[in-house]
Amino acid sequence: MRHPLKWTAIGAAALLLAAAGAYRWPISSARVAAAFNRQLGTSAGVELRRPARVYLTILPLPSVQILDVEFHDKNGVTLATAPRAKARLAMAPLLFGDFQFASVMLREPTAVIDLDRGPFAKSGAFRGLFASSDETGAEPSLGDLRVEHGLLHVVSAERGVDTLIEDIDGDVDWPRLTGPVNIALHGHWRGEPLAVNAWLADPGIWMNGNRSPVHVGLSLRDATLALDGALVDGGANFEGAIAADGASLPSLTRLFGAPSLAWLPDGRASLSGVARGNFRQLAIGDARLTAFNHTFEGAITLSAKPLGVALSGSIAAETIRLDDLFAKAPSLIDQAGDWSAKPFSLALPEGLNLDLRISAATVEWRGHAIQDAAFSLMGSGAGVSATLSDALAYRGAFKGEATIAPGPDGAEIRLSASLLNADIGALAADFGLGAYSGVGGAQIALRANGNSPAALARGLSGEGSLKLGAGVIEGLSFEEALRRSERRPINLYSDMRTGRTTFNDAEAEVTIENGEARLRSATMTGPGVCVALSGTADLANRQMATELVATRADQNGAPNADGPQLKLTIAGPWSRPVIKSDSGA
């Protein structure tokens, strides 16, 4: 019986020991707080305020269960709170009655990072963290921090930041103060899954104002960001490679809570380059930006403003296709063929400031093209302006400027453009008028106010002019028509559509007021004929009412008062005008 009793006793003792090891023994919360502060308070600047209750468990590994946890720095700034935490204890110090924390798990913690005042600011405790470690000669063992279902609130009044990251799970592994720190977290930001993977080679070197290699990877459902380089100057200053990719600019603006232009096209957008900067300003050199099926290269700078963000720089593209950029822009014409009355907005998103210089070897629009274009794009809440400072169009110099500003009745638009010494014949041929050949130029200045194409057309005002040098109109002979009119009434389609009209010069001036264009003067002179055009055009209703008078002239273009005249009326809708001669033909 002795042996059975012996083993029974051993088993009972083992059960008692196991029960004792698994039992949650209440211990002094002050003792645990003091032990934590001895380990991390003096050298790391992180202190544990006395928790509500603490329980010690020996098995399976020594640990303490802590309720109502609050960490703060030496300045009294709260770093994090949690209703529950579990800290694993190092075995060897425990045998001598000392608590040393090997790892900590925070359940449902809440942390606030104030980028202006918290531990990451210049006056924060972490700024003196490593200096104090050098003074004491101690290097604390930080271990591993695990987070379950955490909440992070990031704020900055200076930077206009106020955002939440929820459902955070993951690890922060920082075994030694002077060693590398690894961060692997995932959570949700603005309803989107977020994953963060980061590595910093030596936080101590960095916080003491030196350079430390760093890698940061952020991943969202529709976007990724990767930084590979170094943190410098002891602050959030980064130098190195940057690579960002997003599903589309509209989706990214929605994600970041910024208003978007509804007509921006879809398609992935990516950015890569060499970056230098911080939260306030990030300059990217050797930048390569791909968006809207276009690729731009150059240098750009992103700057955080109190009420928004500023984008500036100089970029270049081989080809810019306006059809792609404005593929989703609202239509100017409705299904009935009239100006659309559907309201639209031309303003930039609030808080976005632009100062861009853009150049392109070719700019294309609906089969037409200009070359060697250099223009600027500037904008703010007060409006946006685009200036074409130089371009080559149809062998001539092309310049222009457009400004859009918010007004009480919609957008206030001003547009000016000039084309000098251009091949007007090639320009006309591009728009389906292949009969003309010659050189000339034009200028136009327009202004309008409204919230729809129809309203803009009704309020359009301005002026324009056209000057042509010597040219030829093939398939149209005013001189032949005048000759035949002396014998009989002419037929427009048989008597005028033969031969050609040669002229020495032509010019026209037009004034536009409240949607009605009126020809102040329009003449064409050449050997044997002088042509004058007068009348109006209703831009709002797309109607015209003009009269053309052709008079016989001498070889120098001087009109012959006694010679025959040919009068034509051109009236009706732009798309199908009716042309009649004075004889009714």
Side-chain angles (χ1 to χ4, degrees):
M1 296 293 293
R2 283 175 152 184
H3 292 293
L5 289 173
K6 176 182 177 180
W7 289 111
T8 300
I10 292 174
L15 287 175
L16 289 174
L17 290 174
Y23 184 73
R24 297 173 61 197
W25 299 92
I27 62 174
S28 169
S29 59
R31 181 180 178 184
V32 172
F36 182 92
N37 294 336
R38 281 196 306 271
Q39 181 177 343
L40 293 177
T42 301
S43 56
V46 179
E47 295 182 351
L48 173 64
R49 287 187 176 174
R50 182 173 177 175
R53 292 182 298 278
V54 181
Y55 300 93
L56 172 65
T57 304
I58 303 300
L59 297 177
L61 292 173
S63 63
V64 289
Q65 308 281 338
I66 309 174
L67 303 183
D68 296 331
V69 179
E70 181 177 337
F71 298 100
H72 63 91
D73 66 12
K74 291 183 178 180
N75 295 330
V77 176
T78 299
L79 303 179
T81 61
R84 295 177 298 158
K86 180 179 180 180
R88 185 170 62 83
L89 302 176
M91 180 66 74
L94 186 62
L95 295 176
F96 296 93
D98 188 19
F99 291 161
Q100 182 173 323
F101 300 96
S103 66
V104 177
M105 176 186 292
L106 299 179
R107 292 187 172 94
E108 301 180 358
T110 298
V112 178
I113 295 180
D114 188 336
L115 300 177
D116 303 330
R117 297 183 55 242
F120 302 101
K122 290 183 177 181
S123 60
F126 284 175
R127 305 295 297 183
L129 171 61
F130 296 91
S132 63
S133 176
D134 293 339
E135 293 170 0
T136 61
E139 182 181 350
S141 174
L142 302 178
D144 177 71
L145 171 64
R146 178 159 184 80
V147 177
E148 290 185 351
H149 307 300
L151 174 67
L152 179 62
H153 189 191
V154 182
V155 297
S156 171
E158 294 182 9
R159 302 170 177 86
V161 176
D162 188 348
T163 190
L164 293 174
I165 303 176
E166 304 170 293
D167 300 326
I168 301 173
D169 291 285
D171 293 273
V172 178
D173 186 15
W174 193 1
R176 295 182 301 107
L177 188 62
T178 57
V181 56
N182 290 276
I183 301 173
L185 300 171
H186 58 86
H188 285 82
W189 180 55
R190 292 181 172 168
E192 298 284 343
L194 168 67
V196 180
N197 290 280
W199 169 83
L200 181 61
D202 195 326
I205 290 178
W206 163 52
M207 288 192 180
N208 282 326
N210 297 308
R211 183 184 187 92
S212 178
V214 67
H215 167 78
V216 178
L218 302 178
S219 176
L220 293 156
R221 183 173 61 185
D222 291 332
T224 61
L225 171 66
L227 302 174
D228 281 292
L231 291 178
V232 299
D233 303 332
N237 299 307
F238 172 78
E239 291 181 355
I242 182 173
D245 181 83
S248 67
L249 285 183
S251 67
L252 292 179
T253 55
R254 288 192 299 270
L255 174 65
F256 285 92
S260 169
L261 292 175
W263 45 266
L264 280 177
D266 295 323
R268 297 201 70 84
S270 64
L271 172 66
S272 62
V274 179
R276 178 181 176 87
N278 50 38
F279 292 113
R280 296 177 182 274
Q281 188 176 80
L282 186 66
I284 304 175
D286 297 328
R288 183 179 179 87
L289 172 64
T290 301
F292 315 129
N293 298 319
H294 289 71
T295 298
F296 300 90
E297 295 180 343
I300 60 176
T301 299
L302 289 166
S303 303
K305 301 295 183 182
L307 298 178
V309 63
L311 175 62
S312 61
S314 298
I315 55 178
E318 185 65 29
T319 301
I320 295 178
R321 296 175 296 276
L322 298 182
D323 292 326
D324 291 345
L325 296 179
F326 298 100
K328 296 177 64 177
S331 176
L332 300 179
I333 307 299
D334 60 20
Q335 294 181 348
D338 298 322
W339 294 112
S340 173
K342 185 177 180 180
F344 63 82
S345 174
L346 297 176
L348 284 177
E350 186 176 353
L352 176 61
N353 294 273
L354 295 178
D355 185 1
L356 291 173
R357 305 295 184 270
I358 306 172
S359 60
T362 304
V363 179
E364 298 177 351
W365 175 72
R366 296 188 178 182
H368 315 296
I370 62 175
Q371 291 78 37
D372 301 330
F375 55 96
S376 63
L377 183 62
M378 304 183 70
S380 64
V384 60
S385 66
T387 301
L388 180 63
S389 57
D390 192 21
L392 184 66
Y394 301 98
R395 302 179 184 176
F398 182 40
K399 297 182 179 182
E401 182 177 5
T403 61
I404 302 172
D409 300 321
E412 294 182 356
I413 300 177
R414 292 181 178 271
L415 171 68
S416 62
S418 65
L419 180 63
L420 302 177
N421 301 320
D423 185 349
I424 305 299
L427 171 62
D430 263 4
F431 287 88
L433 304 174
Y436 168 75
S437 60
V439 176
Q443 292 183 328
I444 192 169
L446 302 174
R447 56 190 181 277
N449 190 347
N451 64 351
S452 69
L456 291 172
R458 289 192 299 269
L460 185 65
S461 298
E463 56 189 12
S465 63
L466 171 71
K467 290 186 178 182
L468 302 178
V472 175
I473 304 176
E474 298 286 351
L476 180 64
S477 177
F478 285 103
E479 189 176 7
E480 180 64 24
L482 288 170
R483 224 177 359 253
R484 296 186 180 185
S485 69
E486 293 182 295
R487 301 190 301 270
R488 58 175 175 79
I490 67 167
N491 184 292
L492 291 178
Y493 296 97
S494 60
D495 293 334
M496 292 189 64
R497 300 180 64 178
T498 59
R500 54 168 30 184
T501 296
T502 301
F503 61 90
N504 299 327
D505 56 70
E507 60 181 22
E509 294 183 356
V510 62
T511 299
I512 306 172
E513 289 291 342
N514 298 322
E516 182 178 81
R518 181 175 299 277
L519 283 168
R520 292 203 306 264
S521 64
T523 60
M524 180 183 70
T525 60
V529 67
C530 178
V531 179
L533 184 66
S534 61
T536 61
D538 186 345
L539 305 181
N541 297 308
R542 298 162 61 85
Q543 298 278 332
M544 62 188 304
T546 59
E547 182 183 66
L548 182 148
V549 178
T551 305
R552 177 175 291 174
D554 60 22
Q555 291 303 306
N556 296 319
N560 183 350
D562 298 327
Q565 282 189 339
L566 176 63
K567 294 183 180 180
L568 304 178
T569 59
I570 307 170
W574 295 358
S575 57
R576 298 182 62 184
V578 176
I579 304 175
K580 293 182 178 180
S581 68
D582 53 356
S583 63

